[in-house]
Amino acid sequence: GAGVSQSPSNKVTEKGKDVELRCDPISGHTALYWYRQSLGQGLEFLIYFQGNSAPDKSGLPSDRFSAERTGGSVSTLTIQRTQQEDSAVYLCASSLATSGSYEQYFGPGTRLTVT
Amino acid sequence: GQSLEQPSEVTAVEGAIVQINCTYQTSGFYGLSWYQQHDGGAPTFLSYNALDGLEETGRFSSFLSRSDSYGYLLLQELQMKDSASYFCAVRSGNTPLVFGKGTRLSVIA
């Protein structure tokens, strides 16, 4: 079946602009996660959604970052007033449930470059 | 909070065996996962240990000692394609998964 997909694959934007990143999880996966990975670094947790529960936003670095998940499926990560330090690869992952979070399936990521 | 420690880089010879260690500090520990990530690629799940002991999956094995807050990933019969970054990750408390900074494995001929 289809894996996790993300769009766009690459995004170049000017400092101060808003960007939206999209994630389509694997069908049937109720948990969805967003991470940020800077070059050569580990994965920084941003936010996760589990079913219809309120999302855990504890990893969002600032109030310029927000995310939503519509209909328990597609998710959008929005970064407002982008800064150069926001440049990174943004990875989305999904799993069967939070209890299955040990096995996450990752999308190919969106490489964001803020100029 | 949680913290994980793993070596930043490891180099090994093709055909050899390499062990990548991971120590962690966390509360409400559930288990230790390992992921592989090739340059420019997405992380892919390798293994998960919830109980003490060794789990084997082909050339890869993973070990956990809960009492020592320690685990390792063992790669046997190394191949060039195993050159990648390897991340340990813990599931604890209300946090679904926290990743280490990764170990970059270089396999040389």
Side-chain angles (χ1 to χ4, degrees):
Chain A
V4 177
S5 61
Q6 294 185 243
S7 61
S9 56
N10 282 283
K11 176 71 176 179
V12 180
T13 190
E14 292 181 353
K15 177 182 173 182
K17 300 284 189 183
D18 297 352
V19 295
E20 283 189 355
L21 312 179
R22 176 188 169 103
C23 172
D24 281 275
I26 292 173
S27 177
H29 280 191
T30 59
L32 185 148
Y33 317 83
W34 283 99
Y35 297 89
R36 178 169 70 175
Q37 186 175 34
S38 300
L39 187 62
Q41 300 297 310
L43 281 74
E44 176 188 3
F45 166 75
L46 297 177
I47 186 171
Y48 89 91
F49 300 85
Q50 170 54 50
N52 295 320
S53 302
D56 177 352
K57 304 179 182 180
S58 60
L60 294 179
S62 78
D63 59 8
R64 296 186 295 104
F65 288 71
S66 63
E68 63 178 21
R69 188 178 185 192
T70 55
S73 181
V74 172
S75 177
T76 302
L77 177 70
T78 301
I79 309 173
Q80 296 178 309
R81 305 181 303 281
T82 51
Q83 304 295 313
Q84 288 186 332
E85 61 262 29
D86 299 334
S87 296
V89 175
Y90 289 81
L91 291 161
C92 173
S94 69
S95 70
L96 284 171
T98 306
S99 60
S101 66
Y102 63 88
E103 183 173 357
Q104 297 181 14
Y105 294 80
F106 283 81
T110 294
R111 181 175 298 279
L112 175 66
T113 304
V114 181
T115 62
Chain B
Q2 302 94 359
S3 68
L4 297 97
E5 294 288 334
Q6 53 181 131
S8 58
E9 294 184 2
V10 173
T11 300
V13 177
E14 189 176 18
I17 299 172
V18 70
Q19 179 174 312
I20 300 174
N21 298 320
C22 175
T23 58
Y24 58 87
Q25 287 187 321
T26 185
S27 58
F29 177 81
Y30 287 108
L32 183 70
S33 296
W34 288 93
Y35 284 77
Q36 178 192 61
Q37 185 180 31
H38 286 98
D39 285 348
T44 56
F45 172 78
L46 290 177
S47 67
Y48 175 67
N49 294 67
L51 303 175
D52 286 357
L54 190 69
E55 296 278 346
E56 298 182 57
T57 309
R59 295 188 297 114
F60 293 4
S61 302
S62 57
F63 172 82
L64 175 66
S65 169
R66 295 174 68 110
S67 60
D68 295 324
S69 297
Y70 164 74
Y72 65 72
L73 180 69
L74 191 73
L75 294 82
Q76 303 182 72
E77 302 172 18
L78 280 173
Q79 302 176 10
M80 300 300 285
K81 68 178 182 179
D82 297 330
S83 292
S85 291
Y86 294 84
F87 296 88
C88 58
V90 295
R91 181 174 161 243
S92 69
N94 293 322
T95 306
L97 211 58
V98 175
F99 286 82
K101 294 186 183 301
T103 298
R104 187 173 185 87
L105 171 65
S106 298
V107 180
I108 59 176

